[in-house]
Amino acid sequence: MRRTLFSLLLKEQKLTTWEAFAVRYEAAGRDAAREKGDRRLATASLGRTTFDRWSSGTWFGRPRGEAAELLERMLGHPVDVLFSPAPGATETASAVASVAMRVGSRWPTSSMLLPAGGPAGTWEISGRNLLDGTTAAVHMLSVIKQGEGVYLEDLGEDGRHDLEGFLRPARRGFILGVEERRGDLDMYVQETTSARRSGRPARNPAPSPSIPSAYLLDDLTYGIVWALTQLDDGLLADDQVLDGERHLISTYLSMPRSAPSKLLVDLTASGSSWMGSAFCARHVEQELTDAKEPPVFWTREQSGEEAAPWLFFKHKIEYLRTMMRYQSLSSQTVRVFCLPEESIGQMARYERVLLVLAIALMERLGIRVRVIPHPEYSEVDGVALVPGHRAVVANWVRVPGGAMWAAGTTTARGELRTYASAFADAEGNDVLSGAPNSAGRLQLLSGYLGVDWDWLTARCQSLGEYGVAGLVRPRSRLLTVSALDETLMHLGDLASAP
């Protein structure tokens, strides 16, 4: 449904607020009173409720009497024209509804609230089992893709002014470029930090490439935005608490076993995950200091939501690199994931993409990943096993009893045999065992998780060339996207590999 000419003229003349409109309306009344000698017009006023109804763009009634007279005087059109669909006006409400519906149906963890009266709105992102959810501002613009660039349609003076106003605040926000293509919609997304830094969309009235086509909103980019924004906003909310409670990690490291309750510190899900993960990394490093043989590792993550911290937490990247000291020409570090088909079936594709990226990051570092599909191994501890000597337990994912982590070390022979048996079964039932090398394993993994390999590697190649920070940049000092960028480039290199 097209909007009324009245609502479009309000925007054109910057009269979209009741306060601004009332000043002009009352001034028109005073001018009319002087010209016509009608004192009644000098006291004309308009209530906020009436203005809101008229300015909605969907009210097609007819004001009468002095109101009609003053509106026609102000805007230069008869009231029956003012409150009819504007000739040639774009179907803004319909386009907005289509975008919001497309996002919500494709990614149920997202909801875009885009008001029909303008392009700016909110993007609500929700977690599944681990993350808390967050909200960002979003500004929708029409774009045209040409080659590798996505060009803004001519915004006009008002459009540029609106965009400048949207980019100015320091809040997290996204530009959403929408192109209608053969009855379908392509959407491109870029965080306002990048748009504000370049300044091109706001200041150049001519079409200019403002969003790289690599930032097409699909399961790769959505998964990254979905995970990173929630982790980042949660950690920022906890920044002062985490800084003040860092001593807890050192305190518990001195204990042989620990499983502190999440109630001990008031943290978001992201903050609790960070603290649990940071403690477990320190605990494993400490307990393996004098290991004489290379350990093997069991990882509890079974979803993209659980695996996302491997991609973004700085300490986890550093931990993986530290564990590489056990790598040698004759021995490769091994890390096992238990990924039952039932768990895979419960994940949306963007989560499965995150899982592939996390495992690809490990493989890129030279870690040999095994995947066991049997659900009975789902509750095996996160553990580093030095066969025949010790098992360092470090759980922070799905810890029972509401604990932030559960950690300890055992040398009991029975427990060591139990862990060794799980690792032996993982080697014998490895979904990836048929591949001759790392590239082959990642391709098998992609197929097992139902992610198209050719699509994934091509998209990683495209996104890797531009970098994740232009798409969405972490603000917390505890996060990084550098390892993810390297992983995207690694997978992109495999796109052209034989």
Side-chain angles (χ1 to χ4, degrees):
M1 180 175 64
R2 295 199 303 270
R3 297 173 59 76
T4 60
L5 177 62
F6 178 79
S7 67
L8 297 183
L9 290 174
L10 292 185
K11 185 173 182 180
E12 183 179 291
Q13 298 186 27
K14 297 183 175 59
L15 297 174
T16 53
T17 66
W18 172 74
E19 292 81 0
F21 185 86
V23 170
R24 285 277 299 275
Y25 185 85
E26 291 167 9
R30 290 191 295 271
D31 290 343
R34 283 194 297 270
E35 290 180 13
K36 301 178 69 172
D38 187 345
R39 294 181 179 179
R40 178 177 53 86
L41 292 174
T43 59
S45 63
L46 182 71
R48 184 189 293 270
T49 301
T50 300
F51 173 78
D52 289 343
R53 183 170 67 251
W54 288 356
S55 63
S56 67
T58 58
W59 187 77
F60 298 99
R62 295 292 182 270
R64 303 296 180 188
E66 67 180 33
E69 181 179 351
L70 295 183
L71 290 176
E72 291 176 353
R73 183 184 183 91
M74 286 176 62
L75 300 173
H77 296 277
V79 289
D80 59 340
V81 174
L82 287 173
F83 292 95
S84 295
T90 58
E91 299 186 358
T92 305
S94 177
V96 166
S98 296
V99 170
M101 185 180 301
R102 174 65 55 86
V103 171
S105 62
R106 185 167 180 181
W107 300 290
T109 50
S110 263
S111 175
M112 280 194 181
L113 305 176
L114 299 169
T122 58
W123 187 356
E124 296 183 358
I125 299 173
S126 60
R128 292 185 62 243
N129 301 310
L130 183 65
L131 298 171
D132 287 327
T134 190
T135 301
V138 64
H139 186 94
M140 190 180 80
L141 296 168
S142 294
V143 298
I144 301 172
K145 180 179 181 295
Q146 295 180 4
E148 293 302 311
V150 175
Y151 295 79
L152 298 181
E153 291 188 352
D154 187 10
L155 298 176
E157 184 179 349
D158 286 345
R160 289 193 297 275
H161 181 269
D162 289 345
L163 182 54
E164 287 174 347
F166 179 78
L167 294 176
R168 190 174 300 117
R171 66 190 174 191
R172 185 188 298 281
F174 291 92
I175 300 296
L176 181 70
V178 179
E179 180 185 36
E180 188 169 355
R181 180 179 51 81
R182 298 174 185 173
D184 200 359
L185 293 174
D186 280 343
M187 295 174 285
Y188 301 86
V189 66
Q190 184 178 39
E191 195 173 31
T192 53
T193 304
S194 297
R196 187 164 56 240
R197 191 165 54 243
S198 67
R200 288 178 302 181
R203 290 197 288 268
N204 191 349
S208 61
S210 57
I211 306 176
S213 61
Y215 294 164
L216 175 73
L217 189 60
D218 60 6
D219 285 321
L220 174 63
T221 50
Y222 177 75
I224 293 170
V225 169
W226 176 78
L228 182 52
T229 55
Q230 291 185 84
L231 290 171
D232 194 30
D233 289 354
L235 289 177
L236 286 174
D238 290 337
D239 185 67
Q240 194 166 29
V241 177
L242 287 173
D243 188 57
E245 299 293 344
R246 280 175 179 267
H247 66 280
L248 286 177
I249 293 178
S250 299
T251 299
Y252 281 102
L253 281 172
S254 64
M255 302 179 183
R257 291 181 180 275
S258 61
S261 170
K262 290 181 179 179
L263 299 177
L264 182 66
V265 184
D266 185 16
L267 295 171
T268 65
S270 297
S272 180
S273 294
W274 183 89
M275 184 164 278
S277 174
F279 175 85
C280 287
R282 291 274 303 278
H283 171 67
V284 172
E285 291 176 22
Q286 173 181 281
E287 296 300 303
L288 292 181
T289 301
D290 59 349
K292 300 296 191 295
E293 297 180 28
V296 288
F297 300 86
W298 194 286
T299 303
R300 281 175 65 85
E301 289 85 345
Q302 290 188 332
S303 70
E305 189 174 31
E306 292 176 348
W310 286 109
L311 297 169
F312 303 116
F313 283 1
K314 281 184 180 179
H315 70 261
K316 292 191 79 67
I317 310 300
E318 294 164 359
Y319 165 74
L320 285 176
R321 290 185 172 130
T322 298
M323 292 299 102
M324 294 305 295
R325 68 172 180 257
Y326 299 108
Q327 195 96 301
S328 68
L329 293 176
S330 59
S331 175
Q332 188 175 25
T333 302
V334 172
R335 188 170 286 273
V336 176
F337 285 77
C338 175
L339 302 177
E341 291 183 3
E342 182 180 358
S343 298
I344 295 169
Q346 294 172 355
M347 281 186 283
R349 190 169 80 145
Y350 68 86
E351 263 204 278
R352 288 179 268 128
V353 168
L354 288 172
L355 199 50
V356 174
L357 291 175
I359 292 175
L361 183 153
M362 297 174 186
E363 284 277 349
R364 183 183 63 80
L365 292 174
I367 298 168
R368 171 49 160 107
V369 173
R370 302 189 192 280
V371 172
I372 186 169
H374 304 316
E376 58 266 32
Y377 290 94
S378 293
E379 296 307 317
V380 172
D381 291 317
V383 66
L385 176 68
V386 182
H389 291 84
R390 77 179 64 169
V392 183
V393 177
N395 292 330
W396 68 272
V397 176
R398 302 191 313 279
V399 184
M404 203 179 314
W405 68 74
T409 301
T410 181
T411 57
R413 292 185 179 277
E415 293 180 88
L416 295 182
R417 282 195 297 269
T418 299
Y419 288 125
S421 175
F423 279 102
D425 286 351
E427 184 174 4
N429 296 278
D430 183 10
V431 172
L432 313 181
S433 62
N437 53 31
S438 175
R441 287 193 294 274
L442 291 174
Q443 189 167 1
L444 282 178
L445 173 71
S446 184
Y448 179 65
L449 294 178
V451 177
D452 183 84
W453 176 250
D454 292 336
W455 168 83
L456 178 65
T457 52
R459 285 292 288 125
C460 286
Q461 184 177 56
S462 176
L463 183 57
E465 289 176 357
Y466 284 91
V468 170
L471 172 73
V472 53
R473 187 177 71 171
R475 296 176 294 171
S476 170
R477 60 178 182 260
L478 304 175
L479 300 178
T480 181
V481 293
S482 60
L484 176 56
D485 281 339
E486 292 169 4
T487 302
L488 292 170
M489 292 299 293
H490 175 69
L491 283 168
D493 288 342
L494 300 180
S496 56

